[in-house]
Amino acid sequence: MGDEKTNFRFNMITMLVYIVGIVLITQLFNLQVVNGESYREQSNTRLSRVSSIQAARGSIYDRSGNELAGVKTQNDIEMYKTNISDEELNSAILNLINLLNEHQIEVEDTFPIKINPFEFTIEGEELTNWKKKYKIDEAATAETAFYKFKDKYKIATDNIENIRKILTLRYKITTTGYSATKSITIATDVNEEIVAQISERNSDFPGISIETSASRTYLAGNLAAHVIGYTGKIKEEDYKEQKDIYDIDDIVGKTGIEYLFEELLRGKDGEKQVEMSVDGTITGESVSQNAIAGSDIILTIDSNLQQVTQISLENCINKIKSGGFSQTYDAQGGAAVVMNVNTGEVLATASYPTYEPQWFVGGISQENWAYLRDDTRHPQMNKVIQATYAPGSIFKMVTAIAGLESGAVTSKEKIRDTGIYTKYKDMKNSFKCWYYSSYGRGHGYLNVTQALQHSCNYFFYETGDRMGIDTLSKYALHFGLGKKTGIELPSEKAGVLASTEANSEIRPGTSVTPGYVLNASIGQGDNSFTPIQIAKYISSIANGGTVVEPTIIKSILKSDGTEASKEKIESYTNEKLGIEETDDGIQISAESIAIAKEGMRMAASEAGGTAYSVFKNFNIEIAGKTGSAEAGKDENGNDKVNAWFVCFAPYDKPEVAVVVMIENGGHGNYAAEVARDILTQYFGMNESTEVNESILATPFVEQIR
């Protein structure tokens, strides 16, 4: 009985297994045979990828709302991995490159082998490592390696030019990588004819699609180029560190405002879900996360004043080079700054020579890159914040103020300039007043304002010697000389302030000598400052002694229409630049500031002043100071003399300070012509007020020897 029950159960289980099996087989037959084609088609259309929605980059405006850097919509060519053979892929690549070449568009080419003749474009250790990476024999020639890649990518054609074209993109795919959900960018900002060709001949371009994006556009040529900066493709090492933020082909800020405020300008990309077939045909898409546009940056720059500043600086440099003044100097470049003396806002800033940020959009040409790379005048350098120069006589207001505040001199004391400073017997012929070098005698008795008016070296030698280097450097540092200003631009230089510390660093084991102090007192020696530091210093004197903090950011507007607070902007930039705010506790008397200002007024607005010839008929009374600082020798052994001019106006109620520096410009009153043009624009004067001074006028040169 037990055996019968066991057999019955076994038979029932067996029958049940057969029934289930038959059902499964029937269903599988139905899926694969009866409805297989239909299901395969549905499956193909359900392939999906996540695609980013590019956030619009924020714009950069001047203080009046004129757009300096914006965005424009463009068509880019993208390539996705599709289910096609090597032969089809190679054909599609050749078709695409030929189409682009017809329209004079070059594809980025990193394949390191040239043809006609065959040669590697890399060498040494880089070439050795490359061969190891791609398993190429170390002794292989460029031709051997070339054909190894031809075989690797199964390129059928024997036409060497066509092989090289195909290798351009196959190698890019290998090094960059792509997939059905992640594309690589082949070309950007292509014209409508190319778009039409790809759309009409889509069977010739499998896996290739047109994507609409926004690219940077710079609307004002070279206007404020060094401030705005430029954008370019992210570096590979930066991408590897920030893969969670950027894609390999993303465009990022490289210099200037574009670089420093990259995080705010770039916005946040959105995402969309794209449904497509395996051959790359898009069947539908939906937005899963909206893009958030970047913030807009409003600068303190005034475009009209900026243009006048740039043009006048360039014209003056060319005038000096061509002998338009009384002497000819091989002027190399220069810088100029226009600053609101009460707020520290930079209204204009020029660095010459310059460039155009638009050159970098879509890849810079070889010609433009050669100019930027090889020109010894350093066109890419923002000389306002990155180049340092001995200030020469424009430093003398510091010496005057420090002398007055420390009691080394008084406002009424007169010091007799005998022409040669003979206090120290071992260097009695080393330190002379420039007036002696030009006329064979000294200025005679001068008080501090007269000493500033005539730029008397002797007076400031004596003043500096009396107070010593520590007192002098303390007050210079108070005005921001020899340290970064913290202006919202990258790569600012601190410069060097002549001091006990600087002497120890530059000349270890030595002590400060009297000669060191004398040189420092007239702005020579170790003193080396940026034009932006000088603008801060002059503005702080002009406004009555309040040390200003230079700024080039007026405001930042977020995409939601709200404005970032001044505190947040300051906190952001200080963190980016590594700036720490300090207070030295120094309070300068109104009397000392007034004396320095009066000396500057006399230098520019009274007969005998070093800049009087330039401003004698000017409608507004200004206060200024010339400076001619020794700068070593040129390649021919000739002395180089940098030309400075600083001023503020109007004298009775200061609004604006101007600083001009011309490399090997010869004489400070040559540079004053730039300031005159700037002030004419700022105050809206009629062109008829322009002064035509005699080119035969005797130039003023302050020398230390």
Side-chain angles (χ1 to χ4, degrees):
M1 191 69 171
D3 290 340
E4 290 180 2
K5 287 183 177 180
T6 300
N7 290 334
F8 177 77
R9 289 173 181 169
F10 176 78
N11 291 334
M12 289 296 292
I13 291 171
T14 301
M15 186 179 297
L16 183 62
V17 169
Y18 277 118
I19 292 172
V20 171
I22 291 170
V23 170
L24 290 175
I25 291 170
T26 302
Q27 184 64 21
L28 187 62
F29 180 82
N30 181 59
L31 288 171
Q32 291 187 338
V33 179
V34 178
N35 295 307
E37 185 65 26
S38 174
Y39 287 138
R40 275 192 294 275
E41 289 180 4
Q42 292 181 42
S43 175
N44 287 344
T45 61
R46 288 175 182 169
L47 182 64
S48 66
R49 60 179 167 84
V50 175
S51 179
S52 64
I53 303 173
Q54 185 183 20
R57 191 171 181 86
S59 294
I60 301 173
Y61 298 91
D62 81 344
R63 66 186 300 113
S64 299
N66 298 305
E67 192 173 41
L68 304 177
V71 293
K72 69 172 183 177
T73 302
Q74 67 179 31
N75 295 312
D76 300 335
I77 299 177
E78 306 284 333
M79 178 179 280
Y80 289 92
K81 187 174 184 180
T82 55
N83 189 23
I84 58 177
S85 66
D86 279 302
E87 182 181 357
E88 291 172 305
L89 176 58
N90 292 336
S91 177
I93 288 173
L94 185 58
N95 289 335
L96 179 61
I97 291 183
N98 284 336
L99 175 62
L100 293 174
N101 289 168
E102 287 175 14
H103 293 268
Q104 287 75 51
I105 296 176
E106 297 293 331
V107 177
E108 181 185 25
D109 186 356
T110 59
F111 186 61
I113 300 175
K114 289 182 179 180
I115 58 173
N116 299 324
F118 287 103
E119 61 180 0
F120 291 109
T121 60
I122 55 178
E123 56 186 15
E125 186 177 353
E126 184 181 7
L127 177 59
T128 301
N129 293 336
W130 181 81
K131 286 181 175 180
K132 285 181 180 179
K133 180 178 180 179
Y134 292 102
K135 298 178 181 178
I136 297 172
D137 187 89
E138 188 174 351
T141 64
E143 183 176 6
T144 301
F146 179 86
Y147 283 104
K148 182 176 177 64
F149 274 92
K150 174 184 182 294
D151 295 339
K152 172 183 172 67
Y153 297 132
K154 300 179 181 178
I155 300 173
T157 180
D158 291 324
N159 183 296
I160 191 169
E161 283 81 11
N162 287 342
I163 296 171
R164 184 62 180 78
K165 290 177 182 178
I166 295 168
L167 287 177
T168 299
L169 284 190
R170 291 302 301 264
Y171 185 72
K172 179 180 175 70
I173 291 169
T174 299
T175 55
T176 303
Y178 76 153
S179 68
T181 60
K182 184 176 176 60
S183 68
I184 58 171
T185 301
I186 306 302
T188 60
D189 197 20
V190 298
N191 59 44
E192 292 298 330
E193 187 175 344
I194 293 176
V195 173
Q197 286 273 357
I198 291 175
S199 300
E200 292 169 6
R201 299 164 49 201
N202 56 12
S203 61
D204 293 335
F205 305 102
I208 295 168
S209 63
I210 301 295
E211 299 285 344
T212 300
S213 66
S215 72
R216 204 47 150 175
T217 180
Y218 299 95
L219 306 174
N222 64 15
L223 194 75
H226 294 94
V227 171
I228 297 168
Y230 60 86
T231 57
K233 187 177 176 181
I234 190 170
K235 291 182 179 179
E236 185 176 354
E237 55 267 31
D238 294 333
Y239 164 69
K240 288 178 180 179
E241 293 178 2
Q242 303 178 78
K243 284 185 177 180
D244 56 329
I245 300 175
Y246 294 101
D247 288 329
I248 187 64
D249 290 318
D250 274 355
I251 300 299
V252 298
K254 295 288 188 176
T255 61
I257 295 294
E258 293 278 30
Y259 171 79
L260 189 66
F261 291 92
E262 165 67 18
E263 291 178 24
L264 305 182
L265 285 165
R266 76 177 303 271
K268 186 176 181 181
D269 290 347
E271 285 186 354
K272 62 181 178 180
Q273 196 79 17
V274 180
E275 303 292 336
M276 63 182 185
S277 61
V278 292
D279 65 359
T281 303
I282 296 174
T283 59
E285 61 180 55
S286 60
V287 176
S288 55
Q289 182 177 328
N290 288 317
I292 301 174
S295 299
D296 292 334
I297 309 293
I298 293 84
L299 305 178
T300 59
I301 295 293
D302 178 296
S303 288
N304 292 329
L305 194 63
Q306 177 71 29
Q307 185 174 41
V308 169
T309 301
Q310 289 186 201
I311 292 173
S312 182
L313 178 64
E314 180 178 359
N315 288 345
C316 187
I317 290 170
N318 290 333
K319 184 175 178 179
I320 293 170
K321 288 173 69 71
S322 63
F325 293 98
S326 59
Q327 289 179 262
T328 301
Y329 289 84
D330 186 22
Q332 290 297 299
V337 188
V338 187
M339 183 177 288
N340 182 312
V341 302
N342 298 304
T343 65
E345 290 183 348
V346 174
L347 306 178
T349 166
S351 180
Y352 182 82
T354 186
Y355 67 94
E356 294 190 20
Q358 193 68 34
W359 291 351
F360 292 89
V361 176
I364 190 168
S365 70
Q366 291 184 348
E367 180 183 1
N368 287 334
W369 178 244
Y371 159 68
L372 295 175
R373 181 193 61 212
D374 301 333
D375 195 309
T376 56
R377 299 172 302 166
H378 308 296
Q380 272 193 279
M381 176 186 288
N382 184 354
K383 296 176 181 179
V384 171
I385 65 167
Q386 292 177 293
T388 62
Y389 309 91
S393 292
I394 62 170
F395 183 81
K396 288 174 180 174
M397 285 81 76
V398 173
T399 307
I401 291 170
L404 291 166
E405 290 293 292
S406 65
V409 294
T410 67
S411 60
K412 296 181 180 179
E413 180 183 5
K414 289 192 174 184
I415 295 174
R416 184 189 177 199
D417 171 16
T418 59
I420 303 176
Y421 194 72
T422 58
K423 188 171 184 177
Y424 298 96
K425 304 300 182 183
D426 58 339
M427 52 185 185
K428 64 181 180 179
N429 293 317
S430 298
F431 293 90
K432 303 172 184 177
C433 185
W434 69 268
Y435 196 77
Y436 178 87
S437 300
S438 298
Y439 300 105
R441 62 183 187 276
H443 284 104
Y445 287 98
L446 299 174
N447 62 23
V448 63
T449 54
Q450 292 169 329
L452 287 171
Q453 176 188 13
H454 298 290
S455 198
C456 177
N457 287 354
Y458 191 106
F459 184 98
F460 294 103
Y461 288 149
E462 178 61 19
T463 303
D465 186 72
R466 289 181 186 181
M467 68 177 128
I469 194 65
D470 291 337
T471 299
L472 179 61
S473 61
K474 179 178 72 173
Y475 283 95
L477 190 63
H478 171 74
F479 283 111
L481 300 176
K483 67 177 181 180
K484 295 179 181 180
T485 66
I487 192 170
E488 305 93 336
L489 290 169
S491 306
E492 181 184 5
K493 302 299 183 185
V496 178
L497 173 62
S499 61
T500 301
E501 294 77 11
N503 182 67
S504 296
E505 290 179 9
I506 296 170
R507 305 168 194 84
T510 67
S511 58
V512 171
T513 64
Y516 185 91
V517 179
L518 300 185
N519 272 330
S521 300
I522 61 166
Q524 294 280 175
D526 288 341
N527 284 320
S528 184
F529 312 130
T530 61
I532 192 67
Q533 290 173 5
I534 299 297
K536 173 177 180 173
Y537 147 57
I538 298 301
S539 293
S540 302
I541 291 175
N543 69 27
T546 301
V547 178
V548 299
E549 299 301 329
T551 179
I552 206 158
I553 301 297
K554 190 74 174 174
S555 62
I556 297 179
L557 297 179
K558 302 176 185 177
S559 59
D560 61 6
T562 61
E563 186 174 352
S565 68
K566 289 289 185 183
E567 291 74 18
K568 285 188 176 180
I569 297 173
E570 186 176 344
S571 175
Y572 175 90
T573 54
N574 285 350
E575 181 180 353
K576 287 287 182 183
L577 300 173
I579 301 296
E580 295 183 5
E581 297 181 4
T582 58
D583 183 0
D584 57 20
I586 294 176
Q587 296 291 326
I588 298 176
S589 68
E591 180 185 9
S592 294
I593 293 292
I595 289 170
K597 290 170 68 174
E598 174 63 11
M600 292 178 68
R601 184 197 67 79
M602 293 167 65
S605 300
E606 287 195 6
T610 55
Y612 178 68
S613 64
V614 181
F615 289 96
K616 61 183 178 181
N617 295 323
F618 208 63
N619 287 352
I620 294 174
E621 187 173 38
I622 77 160
K625 185 75 185 72
T626 57
S628 302
E630 295 179 355
K633 295 184 180 296
D634 63 19
E635 57 186 14
N636 297 317
N638 300 316
D639 290 334
K640 293 195 297 183
V641 182
N642 290 338
W644 286 93
F645 182 74
V646 300
C647 68
F648 64 84
Y651 172 72
D652 56 349
K653 194 175 181 181
E655 295 180 23
V656 63
V658 179
V659 171
V660 182
M661 199 295 306
I662 297 178
E663 297 167 343
N664 200 23
H667 307 300
N669 61 342
Y670 294 176
E673 189 171 280
V674 180
R676 187 187 64 204
D677 291 344
I678 291 169
L679 294 175
T680 298
Q681 171 66 27
Y682 179 85
F683 290 109
M685 297 178 188
N686 189 287
E687 289 298 325
S688 63
T689 61
E690 185 172 333
V691 179
N692 295 312
E693 72 272 23
S694 169
I695 63 172
L696 299 178
T698 302
F700 292 89
V701 187
E702 300 84 22
Q703 301 173 331
I704 64 170
R705 294 180 179 84

